[in-house]
Amino acid sequence: MLTRRHIRVKVMQSIYALTQAEKTDLDKEEKFLSASMENMYNLYLVLLSLLVEMQKMGAYRLTASGKKYLATEEEKNPNRKFVDNKVLALLGNNILLADELKNRKLNNWYLDEEYVKVLFKEMEESDFYAEYMSTRTSSFKEDKEFLQDLYKEVIAPNDKLYDYIEDFNLTWVDDLPLVNTFILKLIRKVKPADNERYFLPRLFKDEEDRMFSRELFRKTVLNEEVLQKEISGKTPNWDTDRIAEVDEVLLKMAICEFLKFPSIPIKVTINEYLEIAKEYSTPKSSIFINGILDKMVKDFESRNKLNKVGRGLM
């Protein structure tokens, strides 16, 4: 679920927070980093369960309408296309997902059902819902495309849901774009034969990625003085206090990768931090960082400090 870039962003945020708070308890901050990444998985599960709750609400309303004393013919024989959506069925019948939500005590929508109602109403009023419900049968492909529209047009951009997420867990706001993108990717690629594990991916691709997050954080923080000297020597026209704080953190992390992670190619490191700078720092940060890192690489090469191993790592 977490790519190396996402891991770098999480580490960047933790180092930035550590710097701002002027804390020195490295173990405590490392635990916070780990908890922050684990919390992102909780957000993923909460948003995934939102789809299940919307389907349950639809089913409940159809049942209630059919039990009216003077129910209309339409209420007695309603269009069940949404509640029978095949992708929603995969989620609703997923025992592993239900167990994971229970084990983590993620019962958000049971406690805050009004958000499900708000989203359900917005869905019902949308054009894509009207078009979807204009027929009574659908293919797996159509069900999947409808669910993508539901997520993109109703769930992801909803301001009330955003405010709820921000109030519930402060770190979730930064995680939201990644989680939304990931859920849409899963919906787009899901197949009828996928097993229950499909919607329960691992947080880290493998143990190597988990260790990368820990080592990048610790090595950057523990070598802060050395990394700072390297930066100062390459920015003669810039006072340290003129460099954006996020840029400074990104530069230290990139230099740390140059010197302490021999298996990561130089080009990969540079490209990753330039992309992160574009999203998280100032408009001109990527240009500034690119210039500094280019100087760094040439200087390290002249001093034979880049001990990269493997093919294509320069």
Side-chain angles (χ1 to χ4, degrees):
M1 182 174 179
L2 278 170
T3 66
R4 283 287 178 103
R5 183 176 299 172
H6 301 138
I7 291 171
R8 288 178 173 97
V9 168
K10 282 292 184 183
V11 172
M12 178 268 290
Q13 291 169 340
S14 293
I15 294 175
Y16 180 80
L18 184 70
T19 303
Q20 292 296 298
E22 297 182 351
K23 295 178 180 178
T24 57
D25 191 337
L26 194 61
D27 290 335
K28 183 178 180 180
E29 293 307 312
E30 187 180 317
K31 288 178 182 177
F32 177 80
L33 168 63
S34 179
S36 174
M37 290 186 284
E38 194 62 42
N39 267 330
M40 191 188 73
Y41 199 82
N42 287 339
L43 173 62
Y44 162 74
L45 292 172
V46 165
L47 290 176
L48 203 62
S49 69
L50 183 55
L51 292 169
V52 177
E53 293 306 315
M54 290 181 71
Q55 187 272 344
K56 287 181 180 178
M57 181 167 288
Y60 172 79
R61 290 187 176 187
L62 290 186
T63 301
S65 295
K67 290 181 178 179
K68 288 181 181 178
Y69 180 70
L70 296 175
T72 64
E73 194 60 37
E74 172 61 26
E75 289 172 332
K76 291 178 181 178
N77 184 31
N79 186 344
R80 297 183 53 86
K81 191 172 180 179
F82 171 70
V83 299
D84 290 340
N85 182 287
K86 299 173 186 64
V87 181
L88 287 177
L90 290 178
L91 290 170
N93 297 326
N94 193 317
I95 297 174
L96 293 179
L97 174 59
D99 288 345
E100 193 68 25
L101 289 164
K102 182 179 179 180
N103 293 338
R104 292 173 180 250
K105 297 185 170 106
L106 298 174
N107 57 346
N108 296 62
W109 311 125
Y110 175 79
L111 299 173
D112 297 301
E113 188 185 28
E114 65 267 26
Y115 293 95
V116 183
K117 292 178 180 178
V118 167
L119 292 167
F120 194 92
K121 184 174 184 295
E122 188 175 329
M123 176 190 72
E124 285 187 310
E125 294 173 349
S126 68
D127 292 337
F128 71 86
Y129 179 79
E131 182 179 350
Y132 178 69
M133 297 298 287
S134 63
T135 61
R136 286 179 171 250
T137 60
S138 61
S139 64
F140 189 85
K141 181 175 181 292
E142 185 184 354
D143 285 350
K144 186 165 60 171
E145 289 173 349
F146 166 78
L147 216 55
Q148 290 178 71
D149 288 337
L150 171 59
Y151 204 92
K152 286 188 295 186
E153 302 297 330
V154 174
I155 296 176
N158 188 272
D159 290 335
K160 290 184 178 179
L161 181 61
Y162 180 91
D163 291 340
Y164 170 78
I165 287 170
E166 184 176 32
D167 291 341
F168 192 85
N169 189 311
L170 191 59
T171 65
W172 278 3
V173 175
D174 289 327
D175 298 333
L176 191 57
L178 163 64
V179 173
N180 283 338
T181 301
F182 187 76
I183 289 176
L184 278 169
K185 179 182 177 182
L186 284 182
I187 294 172
R188 187 175 69 253
K189 293 187 175 183
V190 67
K191 299 175 183 176
D194 283 327
N195 60 36
E196 291 186 329
R197 282 287 171 194
Y198 177 80
F199 284 108
L200 288 170
R202 292 175 296 183
L203 179 60
F204 293 96
K205 183 182 70 175
D206 50 35
E207 188 58 28
E208 184 178 344
D209 274 7
R210 184 186 294 275
M211 289 302 298
F212 173 70
S213 67
R214 179 177 182 273
E215 290 179 6
L216 180 59
F217 175 76
R218 292 189 73 90
K219 288 179 179 180
T220 303
V221 174
L222 292 174
N223 292 281
E224 195 275 337
E225 289 186 13
V226 174
L227 298 173
Q228 183 62 59
K229 288 181 181 178
E230 294 288 358
I231 295 173
S232 299
K234 302 299 180 298
T235 56
N237 298 322
W238 288 77
D239 295 329
T240 302
D241 58 0
R242 287 182 61 201
I243 301 175
E245 292 173 317
V246 171
D247 292 356
E248 193 171 347
V249 172
L250 294 176
L251 283 170
K252 289 175 183 176
M253 290 172 64
I255 299 167
C256 182
E257 283 192 29
F258 287 163
L259 302 177
K260 305 293 183 180
F261 292 82
S263 64
I264 300 178
I266 294 295
K267 289 182 180 179
V268 169
T269 294
I270 293 176
N271 289 338
E272 288 288 271
Y273 287 103
L274 292 184
E275 291 302 315
I276 294 172
K278 289 176 184 177
E279 186 171 354
Y280 289 91
S281 196
T282 67
K284 295 183 179 179
S285 288
S286 61
I287 298 172
F288 170 72
I289 289 175
N290 187 46
I292 299 302
L293 293 183
D294 185 57
K295 288 181 182 179
M296 292 285 187
V297 171
K298 292 176 181 176
D299 180 62
F300 290 153
E301 286 176 340
S302 68
R303 290 189 279 157
N304 199 29
K305 292 190 68 173
L306 293 176
N307 299 313
K308 296 293 183 178
V309 295
R311 295 183 60 188
L313 292 181
M314 295 301 291

